[in-house]
Amino acid sequence: MSKILIIGNVLKDVYLKLDNRQNDFEEDAQGIQWLDLAFNGAKHGFFKRTSVYGGAAVSMAVLSRLGVEAKILGSQTEFKNGEILWQDRPDDYRYILCHEGEITYFMPSSRKVTDWVTPNGTPEWLLIDRSATISARLVDEVKNFIKFSPATKIAVHVEKNLTPDGRRLAEMADVLFVEDEPPVHTEEKIVDKIDLGTPSKQLTCHISPRKIVLNDAEESWVLSKTDMMTHLTVYSTIVATVLGVIAAGGSAADAVLWARLNAEHATLEASLSAKKLQELAKIEREKRENMKLVAQSLMTPRMGILAADESERILTERLVKFGIPANANTRKEYRKMLLSTPELKEYASGVILSEETAKTKTERGQNFLEYLTGRGIITGIKADQGQVQFGDTDETYSLGEIGLIERLRDYYHMGARFAKWHAKFTIGKDMPSFQAVERAAELLAGFVKECQLVGIVPMIESDVSWAGDYTIEQSLETTNRVLTVIFEKLERRRVDFDSIILKTNMISAGSEAVAGSTPREVAMATSAVMKHTVPKYIAGVVFMSGGQAAKVATQNLAAICKEKPFPWPVSYAFGRALQDPVMQTWKGKEENVKAAQAALKRHLQDNSEAIRS
């Protein structure tokens, strides 16, 4: 008897890409129109190279390639030598048309009724496939079968909008697959978008166009082959993979990882075998395990991080401030001079770049990221895309959530091993507001989760702006409140703290305050808040200069480090405090390059001594 018995209809999917091909249709003996196509430059062995069995057949094929015995209820099929052998006709044809990237489905006006046939034996699982036509009779038959076969478990794949019969079936499920956005994280619990009424012991797997979430396990997936795999086929691939791993005794984490890999790598010809999925999953786990080592390397004692991730606009403003003509060439020459400082590797464990800078080519054809990596310096990229106004207020939040997973994967393939997300908070009347802090913390938590799924060390930048006339007490209260919310959000997302680096402001009176703060005051306030709010198992804390003059930032850093011991390594990630002296010395002149690089070295040395305290 099969381990998994699939209940659903078998469809014949016909994939037609219509762009400029309207006149190329052919008609077969049954009067069905076909189109002779090849996908992505490769020809596939389907009838007229456009058709494949879908519906319950997808689930059967995926499970079989995972090594799980599977059958379709009422269908005379078997899986042999990597292919499904058919002895019966499909229930329906489904045309899937692709025109200029848009997918359109043509289904029969009336779907075939899914009939119940009493199985010959007792399967371990019943999988109610999405292709099944759910009726009151089918639900009653399943319920009656389970009554006399209590050892059989039920998995149900449903759409978001359930019919009354679909709801009855969903309530019976041991594993429920729901096509909707991931669960919403609230203060108390995870609230599912489909409310089944009474609580149950069932597992619920949420599948959306970007997420697969099963209990605490989560994966982000990206589908680029829109003309190769429709969302119907991909979702069935995900469902069957998750169920196959669970049925074999695998963990939720393994199930969603395998499902993501299968969804991203499967084609219309075939899904991946268990052996191939094991190989790919091993590579993914190794990437994620290496994050801790990268984070430890970034926090190497007596070494800091150079922040050179300013945007083109900000860099232009800073160059103009020092009387340097600002254009594409001077910006490139400045970055080359800065990043080629001979002693940089001795004092900087890492450098943060903007995406634009990371991809900028040097004269030798390397981009700056490749150049730094070749020198043995760990390179990171600023992943957010700048600030935007928060509603009708004077507050802001960071853009960049859309397309983040794709960018992070791109950064990893480029050679980046950490990424940074900036969250800015302004102290003022009723600021930062509760809503602004919540929004920024949610974005940071999502960023951390996505980084860790890719294998990139996340650096979260909590920046309580130094600009303003506020007191050190106000800075302390705000920083404490902001960091508390951020780490609460991270805790709820169940991220791995041992690979997270916090980049944060020093606690001080504002730049326009009547009474400034002494290094001792900064140190006492900052160390107190850090020890109170930052989890002891975080990879490290690095302080930002936040607009302070180079000498002041170094003095404050040294004073903070005298408050040791801390439960985590402490260092710095300075931008302006390192770069302003360099620009002031360089002045845009070639003859000043060595003197400017010497200025950078001197300030790196000063900061190295400061964190040695």
Side-chain angles (χ1 to χ4, degrees):
M1 183 61 203
S2 62
K3 186 171 185 177
I4 297 179
L5 185 62
I6 304 167
I7 300 175
N9 296 335
V10 178
L11 307 174
K12 190 70 174 278
D13 283 341
V14 183
Y15 291 75
L16 306 175
K17 189 168 183 179
L18 300 182
D19 296 352
N20 303 318
R21 302 297 299 274
Q22 288 88 338
N23 298 323
D24 295 342
F25 284 99
E26 298 178 13
E27 188 172 297
D28 66 12
Q30 283 74 40
I32 298 174
Q33 288 189 321
W34 305 84
L35 191 63
D36 189 7
L37 288 180
F39 293 103
N40 288 0
K43 293 184 178 181
H44 300 279
F46 311 124
F47 180 70
K48 290 295 183 181
R49 293 189 289 279
T50 59
S51 62
V52 64
Y53 283 96
V58 175
S59 299
M60 178 181 174
V62 171
L63 288 165
S64 298
R65 290 188 175 92
L66 292 178
V68 179
E69 186 182 354
K71 293 282 187 181
I72 301 173
L73 182 70
S75 178
Q76 301 299 314
T77 60
E78 62 176 324
F79 191 84
K80 190 174 182 180
N81 298 325
E83 294 183 3
I84 297 179
L85 302 181
W86 301 92
Q87 299 179 27
D88 48 6
R89 294 176 59 82
D91 297 324
D92 287 306
Y93 283 94
R94 173 175 60 189
Y95 288 89
I96 304 171
L97 311 180
C98 178
H99 181 67
E100 296 181 350
E102 296 294 326
I103 301 291
T104 303
Y105 303 91
F106 286 90
M107 298 286 291
S109 57
S110 59
R111 296 176 66 180
K112 181 179 181 297
V113 175
T114 303
D115 294 321
W116 172 262
V117 179
T118 303
N120 295 321
T122 305
E124 294 182 27
W125 285 86
L126 288 181
L127 168 59
I128 315 299
D129 188 74
R130 190 182 189 277
S131 62
T133 304
I134 307 301
S135 62
R137 178 180 177 181
L138 178 65
V139 177
D140 290 338
E141 293 284 7
V142 170
K143 187 175 182 179
N144 187 58
F145 176 78
I146 294 300
K147 180 179 179 180
F148 294 99
S149 304
T152 299
K153 297 179 181 179
I154 300 179
V156 179
H157 179 190
V158 299
E159 300 180 58
K160 181 178 177 181
N161 299 317
L162 290 174
T163 63
D165 291 328
R167 183 175 295 275
R168 287 177 59 206
L169 196 59
E171 289 172 348
M172 296 165 54
D174 295 279
V175 180
L176 179 64
F177 295 94
V178 181
E179 295 181 14
D180 68 2
E181 289 298 316
V184 178
H185 295 259
T186 69
E187 293 294 326
E188 300 297 330
K189 63 179 181 177
I190 295 177
V191 180
D192 293 339
K193 288 192 175 181
I194 291 184
D195 181 12
L196 296 178
T198 58
S200 71
K201 62 181 180 180
Q202 71 184 194
L203 292 173
T204 302
C205 181
H206 294 260
I207 309 170
S208 77
R210 59 190 180 90
K211 290 281 187 183
I212 308 170
V213 180
L214 177 63
N215 280 6
D216 296 337
E218 176 182 330
E219 289 287 336
S220 294
W221 62 292
V222 178
L223 185 66
S224 58
K225 308 183 294 291
T226 54
D227 60 338
M228 290 289 289
M229 296 279 282
T230 72
H231 81 273
L232 298 179
T233 301
V234 174
Y235 281 24
S236 293
T237 299
I238 291 171
V239 167
T241 306
V242 169
L243 181 60
V245 174
I246 292 174
S251 67
D254 284 339
V256 294
L257 176 57
W258 280 38
R260 185 209 111 194
L261 294 169
N262 216 355
E264 291 183 339
H265 293 278
T267 68
L268 284 175
E269 283 190 309
S271 58
L272 274 59
S273 66
K275 181 179 179 181
K276 184 62 178 178
L277 286 169
Q278 284 176 333
E279 293 172 356
L280 293 175
K282 181 181 178 182
I283 294 171
E284 291 295 313
R285 292 191 191 95
E286 288 174 350
K287 286 165 56 176
R288 297 173 188 184
E289 290 169 0
N290 286 340
M291 285 189 299
K292 185 175 181 180
L293 298 176
V294 173
Q296 290 172 347
S297 297
L298 285 168
M299 299 306 300
T300 298
R302 296 192 63 185
M303 298 186 78
I305 295 171
L306 170 61
D309 57 330
E310 54 278 316
S311 66
E312 179 180 312
R313 178 182 64 83
I314 295 298
L315 180 56
T316 296
E317 291 175 359
R318 293 181 186 172
L319 290 171
V320 170
K321 173 185 172 183
F322 291 102
I324 302 171
N327 53 54
N329 185 60
T330 53
R331 287 193 298 269
K332 181 176 179 179
E333 288 301 311
Y334 169 72
R335 286 164 172 153
K336 183 179 72 172
M337 176 270 297
L338 181 75
L339 301 177
S340 64
T341 298
E343 297 83 7
L344 184 60
K345 183 186 175 183
E346 297 177 25
Y347 300 100
S349 60
V351 174
I352 313 171
L353 303 175
S354 67
E355 184 174 337
E356 176 194 35
T357 302
K359 294 180 178 179
T360 299
K361 297 283 187 179
T362 65
E363 286 76 5
R364 296 185 178 182
Q366 285 182 309
N367 59 43
F368 280 121
L369 191 154
E370 292 167 338
Y371 170 74
L372 289 168
T373 302
R375 295 183 63 190
I377 299 173
I378 304 171
T379 308
I381 298 180
K382 179 178 179 286
D384 69 87
Q385 298 178 320
Q387 303 291 301
V388 67
Q389 187 176 352
F390 185 72
D392 296 327
T393 71
D394 292 329
E395 299 180 280
T396 62
Y397 69 94
S398 295
L399 291 174
E401 185 179 21
I402 297 174
L404 176 61
I405 190 68
E406 292 92 336
R407 296 200 309 279
L408 290 174
R409 290 188 185 183
D410 185 36
Y411 299 163
Y412 188 93
H413 291 307
M414 288 170 61
R417 288 299 176 264
F418 73 102
K420 189 199 76 171
W421 186 280
H422 179 217
K424 184 177 181 179
F425 306 95
T426 302
I427 297 178
K429 180 176 171 53
D430 300 324
M431 294 190 301
S433 66
F434 169 81
Q435 294 85 351
V437 173
E438 286 281 311
R439 175 62 173 153
E442 287 170 358
L443 288 170
L444 283 170
F447 163 72
V448 169
K449 192 69 176 183
E450 300 289 24
C451 281
Q452 293 182 339
L453 292 176
V454 171
I456 282 183
V457 171
M459 177 181 286
I460 54 174
E461 182 174 10
S462 173
D463 176 12
V464 175
S465 176
W466 190 43
D469 60 358
Y470 56 83
T471 66
I472 191 171
E473 289 78 14
Q474 288 175 290
S475 177
L476 185 152
E477 186 278 329
T478 300
T479 305
N480 184 79
R481 177 161 63 94
V482 164
L483 290 179
T484 297
V485 174
I486 288 172
F487 284 109
E488 285 177 352
K489 296 289 185 183
L490 290 171
E491 188 73 41
R492 292 192 191 105
R493 288 303 299 268
R494 293 177 172 83
V495 300
D496 296 324
F497 281 88
D498 57 6
S499 69
I500 298 174
I501 294 175
L502 169 66
K503 181 182 179 186
T504 188
N505 57 283
M506 303 178 193
I507 296 175
S508 170
S511 60
E512 301 170 18
V514 175
S517 302
T518 67
R520 176 63 176 155
E521 290 171 335
V522 171
M524 292 179 65
T526 303
S527 63
V529 169
M530 295 302 121
K531 290 176 180 179
H532 177 254
T533 59
V534 181
K536 64 182 180 180
Y537 32 88
I538 198 172
V541 175
V542 295
F543 292 101
M544 58 192 297
S545 55
Q548 301 174 90
K551 185 177 181 180
V552 173
T554 301
Q555 289 174 340
N556 287 337
L557 178 65
I560 292 171
C561 290
K562 288 179 181 177
E563 297 295 314
K564 294 177 180 178
F566 296 109
W568 9 253
V570 171
S571 186
Y572 68 93
F574 287 174
R576 278 173 285 180
L578 287 173
Q579 292 193 56
D580 282 2
V582 177
M583 291 183 183
Q584 191 172 22
T585 305
W586 180 51
K587 301 185 187 304
K589 298 179 180 180
E590 178 65 27
E591 60 266 27
N592 293 335
V593 167
K594 289 187 178 180
Q597 291 177 333
L600 176 60
K601 175 185 175 182
R602 183 170 62 255
H603 285 282
L604 287 169
Q605 288 175 322
D606 291 344
N607 290 322
S608 179
E609 289 301 316
I611 59 178
R612 185 183 182 185
S613 301

